[in-house]
Amino acid sequence: MSESAIALRYAEALYELAREQDRGLEFLQDLASLLAAIDAEPEGWRQLTHPRLSPAEKQRVLEEHFLPGRERLVANLLGVLVRKRREGILRDFFRAYQEVYDRQEGILRVEIESATALEAEVVTSLHQQIAASSGREVFIEPRVDPELIGGLRMIVDSRVIDGSTKSRLERLRRHLLAQQV
């Protein structure tokens, strides 16, 4: 079984427990905080994922660096991952939990990439259009990618809608090369 499939199983289990307590969002926020702590403590993360450390030593690192202030069920899950030597899936687990949470709560996350930062009015307009057409609660995550040259690229539910100048130029290039043959 792939690491992403394992992460999805754990995420679905944690979401079910969170939903029973009506605390799905709190768990999502706690997991986001955990990722921030991992990024802030690269040495602790390196130790936690070191293949030669025993599960007991990893549990100590977990308790010192990453467990203080965690939701009890999130902390328990982290302990299970360490005991089963699956701490390396934490990032996949976070993404999987967010996907499960979004799917169950009817949330649509849309990444919008542009060559330059979008003005607030443009983001608001896109948000309104996407919400109206999808009928779901929408969260837009704008990103800047100067390589796009112009236009937009949207990533919605792992589908890419590419209206960037870069992709248009690439399609034109392929078309011209195909005509030379």
Side-chain angles (χ1 to χ4, degrees), residues 104-150:
Q104 295 296 326
E105 302 296 326
I107 294 170
L108 182 63
R109 290 192 190 275
V110 180
E111 294 177 37
I112 299 179
E113 297 176 340
S114 58
T116 59
L118 295 174
E119 295 180 11
E121 299 84 35
V122 172
V123 174
T124 300
S125 175
L126 287 168
H127 181 271
Q128 291 170 346
Q129 291 173 29
I130 295 167
S133 66
S134 70
R136 294 166 66 184
E137 184 177 353
V138 175
F139 287 100
I140 292 185
E141 299 172 20
R143 293 203 168 88
V144 174
D145 181 356
E147 291 185 11
L148 295 180
I149 304 169

Side-chain angles (χ1 to χ4, degrees), residues 149-170:
I149 304 169
L152 298 175
R153 180 177 15 201
M154 294 194 307
I155 302 155
V156 182
D157 282 341
S158 70
R159 288 175 295 173
V160 177
I161 303 164
D162 197 342
S164 68
T165 302
K166 178 182 178 181
S167 71
R168 290 178 184 164
L169 289 172
E170 180 59 29

Side-chain angles (χ1 to χ4, degrees), residues 48-160:
L48 188 64
T49 57
H50 195 285
R52 290 194 178 144
L53 282 183
S54 71
E57 291 170 310
K58 289 183 178 192
Q59 185 66 35
R60 180 192 52 76
V61 171
L62 191 65
E63 289 170 3
E64 284 178 18
H65 296 277
F66 304 113
L67 288 186
R70 295 281 150 243
E71 295 285 340
R72 184 182 55 80
L73 289 174
V74 171
N76 290 347
L77 177 77
L78 294 173
V80 168
L81 291 176
V82 165
R83 282 191 301 280
K84 292 188 176 257
R85 295 192 166 272
R86 291 192 168 145
E87 57 278 346
I89 70 166
L90 274 173
R91 290 185 190 282
D92 286 339
F93 171 75
F94 172 74
R95 281 188 290 280
Y97 184 87
Q98 186 169 34
E99 288 172 12
V100 169
Y101 177 83
D102 289 352
R103 182 177 60 244
Q104 295 296 326
E105 302 296 326
I107 294 170
L108 182 63
R109 290 192 190 275
V110 180
E111 294 177 37
I112 299 179
E113 297 176 340
S114 58
T116 59
L118 295 174
E119 295 180 11
E121 299 84 35
V122 172
V123 174
T124 300
S125 175
L126 287 168
H127 181 271
Q128 291 170 346
Q129 291 173 29
I130 295 167
S133 66
S134 70
R136 294 166 66 184
E137 184 177 353
V138 175
F139 287 100
I140 292 185
E141 299 172 20
R143 293 203 168 88
V144 174
D145 181 356
E147 291 185 11
L148 295 180
I149 304 169
L152 298 175
R153 180 177 15 201
M154 294 194 307
I155 302 155
V156 182
D157 282 341
S158 70
R159 288 175 295 173
V160 177

